[in-house]
Structure formats: C-alpha cells, structure tokens
Amino acid sequence: MSARPAALFALDDAHLPLLFPPNLLKGLRATVDIDPGLAVRDFGDERVRALLPEVEMLITGWGCPPITPQVLDGLPRLRTVVHTGGTVKSLLDPAVFGRRVAVSSAADANALPVAEYTLGMILLLGKGIFALREDYRTALAPPADLLSRDVGNVGRRVGVIGASRIGRRVMELLRPFDFDVLLHDPYVDAAEAVRLGARATSLEELLMTSSITTLHAPATPATRHLIDTDRLRLMPDGATLVNTARGSLVDTEALTRHLTTGRINAVLDVTDPEPLPAHSPLFRLPNVFLTPHVAGSQGNELSRLGRSALSEVERAVRGEPMAHRVDLAALPRSA
C-alpha cells in the first residue's frame, strides 16, 4: 500500500460528522487521500465509477451499498475495507475475501454501549425498579411491603445466552457485582466459562433458574426463535428476558402471549418485526420496557467507532496487521 493511499467513504453522509469529528477527520486525512465531502451511496454513480480504479481503501458504514463482485471488478487496487459499524454480513460479498482484501470492523467498539445498556437494565431489574415505578404511580405512595419484596442484586442469578463480543463484555461488567452468572454457549467449555466469570450450563437450566436472562447470541438460521413458547414456559414467575441482540432470536408471538399474562417481564431493544406494528400489545404492557434499537452506538458514541476505524486505517497504511480483522471462517456463526 502506498504511503498515502487513495481512500473513499462509502456510507450515509449524515453519519460522517458523528463518526469523524474534526480531530479524527484531521488524523484520517493525514493518513489517506480522501475527499471528506464525498460519501458513496451508489457505486454505479458516474462520478464514483471514475474514481474507483485508484481506490486502495474503502471506509464503510451504515448506508454503504453492497460490495458485490461487480463492484469489486471496478476496484482493481482495493486492498482494505475498514467498516465503522459492527456486522459486515449484509455489506460484503464473500468474494471480497477471495481477492485478498483485508476487512476490519468496529464490532468491538460497538459492543461496549450495548453491554453498558444491558448492565444498566440488569441492575435496575434486580432492584425491581420497573414494577416499583408502576406501583408508585398507581398508589401515589411507597409500597408498604417495600423492604420485604424480592428485590436486590446480592446473589441474583443472571443467565447470559451467547459468549459473543457483547456477551463477554456483559460478563466483564458484571464482575464487580454480587451476581451469580450462568452462561450458555455451545462453543464455550466449562473452563473458559469460569475464566469469563460464569458457570457453563444448558439452555434449559439457565432459563429455569435465572431471575434475569439476557440474549447475546448472533442471528443465524440455528438461533432463529431460539426462545420459543416452550422455552419461555421454563422461565420462573417474575423472571425477565432482556434482548439487545436480534429480534429473530425470540418468537415474538409466543413472547407476547406470555407477557400478556403478566407472569414474566421483558426488556426489548430489538424485536421481530422491527419496528413493531402500532397495534402490538408490547407498547402498552406494564411489564415490558421497550426501546427503539438504541443500545448500540448513538450520538457521541459514534466517535468511538470512528476512532477505532482511524486506528485500523493507520495500521493498514503502516503495513501492520489490523487489530479487528474480520475472520471469514467465523462469519457463519457470528453476528
């Protein structure tokens, strides 16, 4: 790669100033030859097609058009793709890897706010905050049985499904607290689970014994409706399901039926479909805390993704291995 290679943004230009505020953009322009005023949304655009033959690096993000074999044919010098988002599955054709193109993503950087959101919800759930809020609103006075309620986080069992980047971050953030953490992941053995701060167990035991179950598995054909009506039935009365992964992991119709009874609770940042139809009961149930897919990077958190991307660009230009290179072999079982 040349000393200052030609690079091109391929993403929604509305995200550019958030991903690369002035200090980061300055560092990027010192490292690669890039037009900060051009963010590609269509590789077929005549102006863009004229630039592609010289491009050695693509800096991609949300809104990037798919990088197909046809697009690659117009990028003969492409050697590096640095993605400012998480998953690259819907972005890159596998042909990218076959053409000796190194691909990096900011999935690790994006994992942190999701894990922070999850930790915050777990701490509030353990204190019974959501139910207490509803009771306080209704009675307009503190509940008489406040001290005797089954609330508090000492020894409370949290079940983590999936030792993904985010799942591992969640377990890391849980370490300072007094939780009893279970982990279910078919790719993690008992010894590794202990190193992560958890005890490995079956999915059934995790669901049957956890007060709070949090989902961090990838969306794959094998995990579609991983949490179905039979598995929801295993959850004890008063337990809560937290989903910040993908809506397809849960059978939404089954979950809605279980939640409507009031027997269990849910914190849902993702749903299937997304967004939910306006008539969905999940918008109105008091035992459901619904947010619009905001656990990932938002606002000033996007600059963390840009900082991660800039570091990868600098490594690539220096000829060093990238720290967050995407492994083609791992894609089928990753997010």
Side-chain angles (χ1 to χ4, degrees):
M1 187 171 285
S2 59
R4 194 162 168 268
L8 190 65
F9 287 119
L11 43 74
D12 187 334
D13 60 2
H15 299 145
L16 263 179
L18 294 170
L19 288 164
F20 297 101
N23 63 317
L24 295 181
L25 186 60
K26 180 179 179 181
L28 189 63
R29 297 187 71 188
T31 309
V32 293
D33 182 8
I34 194 165
D35 181 351
L38 176 61
V40 175
R41 296 297 303 275
D42 179 5
F43 285 114
D45 180 90
E46 186 175 342
R47 178 190 174 194
V48 172
R49 285 206 314 269
L51 299 172
L52 296 183
E54 300 302 317
V55 170
E56 297 176 63
M57 179 183 295
L58 288 176
I59 300 173
T60 62
W62 299 313
C64 176
I67 301 175
T68 64
Q70 291 73 30
V71 171
L72 290 171
D73 288 341
L75 288 159
R77 301 187 65 184
L78 182 68
R79 294 293 177 268
T80 309
V81 175
V82 175
H83 187 51
T84 59
T87 182
V88 298
K89 278 186 175 180
S90 61
L91 172 67
L92 300 179
D93 188 281
V96 170
F97 298 92
R99 300 197 188 192
R100 299 182 181 277
V101 175
V103 179
S104 167
S105 93
D108 281 347
N110 195 47
L112 181 55
V114 183
E116 291 173 341
Y117 173 107
T118 304
L119 172 66
M121 291 297 177
I122 289 171
L123 290 170
L124 292 174
L125 288 165
K127 290 286 286 186
I129 292 300
F130 300 118
L132 288 168
R133 178 197 60 182
E134 294 302 317
D135 290 349
Y136 201 10
R137 281 177 171 176
T138 301
L140 304 180
D145 62 343
L146 186 58
L147 292 180
S148 61
R149 287 195 180 196
D150 179 23
V151 298
N153 289 315
V154 177
R156 186 170 296 279
R157 178 164 287 180
V158 175
V160 177
I161 298 177
S164 59
R165 287 182 180 88
I166 297 169
R168 289 168 186 258
R169 280 278 200 171
V170 168
M171 288 183 281
E172 179 184 341
L173 293 178
L174 288 173
R175 280 181 180 273
F177 302 96
D178 292 320
F179 292 107
D180 174 23
V181 182
L182 298 184
L183 170 66
H184 173 74
D185 188 308
Y187 301 100
V188 173
D189 61 22
E192 184 179 1
V194 170
R195 288 193 294 273
L196 293 171
R199 177 172 68 83
T201 187
S202 68
L203 180 56
E204 288 68 27
E205 182 189 356
L206 184 150
L207 289 167
M208 287 190 294
T209 65
S210 296
S211 173
I212 301 165
T213 293
T214 180
L215 294 174
H216 302 292
T220 67
T223 61
R224 178 170 175 75
H225 290 185
L226 179 70
I227 306 300
D228 57 14
T229 192
D230 290 335
R231 286 174 171 154
L232 288 166
R233 196 175 289 121
L234 296 175
M235 296 177 66
D237 292 355
T240 302
L241 181 70
V242 180
N243 191 6
T244 59
R246 286 291 184 266
S248 63
L249 271 63
V250 181
D251 181 338
T252 302
E253 289 187 9
L255 178 63
T256 301
R257 289 195 300 270
H258 282 264
L259 290 169
T260 300
T261 70
R263 190 184 70 81
I264 60 173
N265 314 296
V267 172
L268 304 173
D269 187 54
V270 290
T271 56
D272 182 24
E274 190 173 277
L276 290 167
H279 60 76
S280 172
L282 298 182
F283 283 115
R284 293 171 290 280
L285 289 173
N287 53 327
V288 177
F289 194 88
L290 194 63
T291 56
H293 204 148
V294 296
S297 298
Q298 304 290 326
N300 62 28
E301 293 168 335
L302 269 69
S303 67
R304 184 190 286 127
L305 305 183
R307 192 179 312 118
S308 174
L310 174 58
S311 295
E312 292 292 70
V313 168
E314 291 171 340
R315 290 186 188 97
V317 171
R318 291 195 300 263
E320 300 172 1
M322 292 188 292
H324 305 292
R325 187 163 179 165
V326 175
D327 179 4
L328 175 61
L331 276 182
R333 58 183 178 88
S334 63

